[in-house]
Amino acid sequence: HGPHSAAPKTALLRRLGPLTEFVGRDGSASRLLPLVLTFLNDRDPLLRAAFCATVPAACVVLGRGATEQFVAPCVENALADGDARVVCAALDGLRRLADAGLLGRASVVEG
């Protein structure tokens, strides 16, 4: 585990839902979301997949506006990832966002 280890990032993602509830919508949007969105640029495909799998829990707190504007486009980009595990996690993440009513019809149809 070097200084760029995915382990601390993965640990953060595991608790992302409760953490966003604790920090609240504004704190999550200004502090947590910018940080965790960078995880999609990590070399570790398991971290990228974990982001796609866990971010819907944060979106419940962030709300539909931030989800559609910031999160959904990033998860949609993960559909083009070269690792099948990331693509599967992205599809499931988008499904969960849609099921939770966090994506409008236009977002689902355009994606």
Side-chain angles (χ1 to χ4, degrees), residues 12 15-35 58 61-62:
L12 176 84
R15 302 300 297 160
L16 189 59
L19 189 55
T20 54
E21 288 175 22
F22 176 77
V23 175
R25 180 177 288 186
D26 292 340
S28 296
S30 65
R31 304 266 185 211
L32 286 177
L33 187 59
L35 172 69
V61 174
L62 290 167

Side-chain angles (χ1 to χ4, degrees), residues 49-63:
F51 169 85
C52 294
T54 59
V55 77
C59 290
V60 171
V61 174
L62 290 167

Side-chain angles (χ1 to χ4, degrees), residues 10-110:
T10 302
L12 176 84
L13 288 175
R14 274 193 224 117
R15 302 300 297 160
L16 189 59
L19 189 55
T20 54
E21 288 175 22
F22 176 77
V23 175
R25 180 177 288 186
D26 292 340
S28 296
S30 65
R31 304 266 185 211
L32 286 177
L33 187 59
L35 172 69
V36 298
L37 287 176
T38 67
F39 295 0
L40 284 173
N41 296 323
D42 199 275
R43 293 181 190 197
D44 186 345
L46 294 179
L47 180 63
R48 297 191 309 270
F51 169 85
C52 294
T54 59
V55 77
C59 290
V60 171
V61 174
L62 290 167
R64 185 170 167 173
T67 298
E68 288 185 330
Q69 188 173 4
F70 301 112
V71 178
C74 294
V75 177
E76 288 168 5
N77 284 340
L79 294 172
D81 196 284
D83 191 291
R85 295 169 292 189
V86 178
V87 174
C88 289
L91 284 169
D92 189 57
L94 289 170
R95 179 197 55 79
R96 290 174 53 215
L97 290 172
D99 288 351
L102 293 167
L103 297 177
R105 179 166 165 51
S107 296
V108 174
V109 172
E110 290 171 8

